[in-house]
Amino acid sequence: MQTELSKKLGIEHAIFGFTPFPAVAAAISRAGGFGVLGAVRYTAPDDLARDLDWMQEHVDGAPYGLDVVMPAKKVEGPNHQKLTESDVEAMIPEGHRQFVRDTLAKHGVPELAEGEASGWRITGWMEQVARSQLDVAFDYPIKLLANALGSPPADVVRRAHDHDVLVAALAGSARHARKHADAGIDIVVAQGYEAGGHTGEIASMVLTPEAVDAVAPLPVLAAGGIGSGEQIAAALALGAQGVWLGSLWLTTTEADLHSRALTAKLLAAGSGDTVRSRALTGKPARQLRTEWTDAWDDPSGPGTLPMPLQGLLVAEAVSRIQKYEVDPLLGTPVGQIVGRMTSERPVQAVFDDLTRGFERAVDRINRIAGRSGQS
């Protein structure tokens, strides 16, 4: 599963695995792929440094990267004043706060213990937090910096290149891909409608070749709806130089969801059990459909707020739902590929399955083309 990009990065398989869990990212790199650690949950630089230290010790010298979230548009005060988290939280309307309280009360969600801080904060969506993460990350030998919400600011791209770090940006359309190329991005991740998390409205089968044509010769990674070796072969046939997989790792044994109930929901879900909703962050993000997403998407409700207000608004609520495993409301970002995630397996077992499926697909195409035995 070698491409020009995988050879450049020194990895065996052109599989890039995004995950919020250091143990999963390290296992992906050890298995011959490229582990990418999601940084959004790290609100304290020391916590990120601790986990990057751990990864350095557990990747066996294999390369890895970091994914940050730097929105193209940010909330600012008068005269472009930078706002603190408290400033931004003060902008949340009381009606929205009451809607959260009412929804939680309807389902009997207990309060957090007195003095207990929310375990799920989304301050990582704020640019100043992402910049503090970069101050830590560039002290480590990361080989890739990805931004989940498009091209990072120009000074961040320059800083990454000064550290010999490639920059990747996710794109939901060919137009977005061209903007990334113009911004000096090294790799475009063409993320289709099927993908988990923030995603656009164009399906992977359409988007991938459009992005490839739009930014050639820049490498493109295909993302969204990919969970088998056959699908990886299809992505490479469409011109991608690799695949970007995220959802598939959520049910690996190395993942740490802290919730058996959530793992059970993922294993039981079908490909039709997700929805693109603004309920979590304020931007459309594919996630498990729950009574929580239904409440926010109901036209009779107050509607969601823009990023990062929505994330700050629901942070404590999400922590309470997760802590007490309130099943009707319990969810997570995940793509339509969740229908293939039917058992818990180690990362290495997932890789073995992917490579076998890839070989089967290549052999099948060779037979169709009359080149049997040449795979």
Side-chain angles (χ1 to χ4, degrees), residues 35-79:
V36 182
L37 179 65
V40 71
R41 69 190 180 96
Y42 294 98
T43 57
D46 288 348
D47 291 341
L48 177 59
R50 177 202 64 216
D51 281 357
L52 288 176
D53 283 337
W54 186 92
M55 284 192 62
Q56 271 293 107
E57 297 173 1
H58 291 85
V59 294
D60 295 347
Y64 62 93
L66 191 74
D67 179 280
V68 297
V69 176
M70 304 186 80
K73 296 180 181 178
K74 50 185 180 287
V75 178
E76 296 179 320
N79 301 316

Side-chain angles (χ1 to χ4, degrees), residues 28-40:
I28 291 168
S29 289
R30 289 197 306 272
F34 191 98
V36 182
L37 179 65
V40 71

Side-chain angles (χ1 to χ4, degrees), residues 140-163:
Y140 292 83
I142 62 171
K143 299 300 182 185
L144 176 72
L145 173 68
N147 187 33
L149 292 177
S151 303
D155 68 295
V156 173
V157 176
R158 289 194 298 271
R159 187 178 179 191
H161 289 164
D162 287 345
H163 284 82

Side-chain angles (χ1 to χ4, degrees), residues 39 68 85 97 115 126 146-147 183 199 278 308 326 340:
V68 297
E85 180 182 344
R97 295 185 186 277
M126 301 176 70
N147 187 33
T199 183
R278 298 177 184 266
V326 183
R340 293 186 66 96

Side-chain angles (χ1 to χ4, degrees), residues 298-317:
D298 191 326
S300 66
T304 55
L305 298 170
M307 181 183 280
L309 299 179
Q310 181 71 14
L312 293 171
L313 167 66
V314 305
E316 182 181 320

Side-chain angles (χ1 to χ4, degrees), residues 21 44 52 59 64 92 124 183 198 232 274 298 330 356 374:
F21 307 117
L52 288 176
V59 294
Y64 62 93
I92 297 173
H198 295 112
I232 294 174
T274 68
D298 191 326
L330 187 63
R356 284 193 296 266
Q374 296 181 28

Side-chain angles (χ1 to χ4, degrees), residues 230-256:
E230 288 85 353
Q231 290 167 317
I232 294 174
L236 299 188
L238 292 173
Q241 287 203 30
V243 293
W244 178 275
L245 309 183
S247 299
L248 195 63
W249 316 110
L250 289 174
T251 53
T252 56
T253 54
E254 292 90 346
D256 189 12

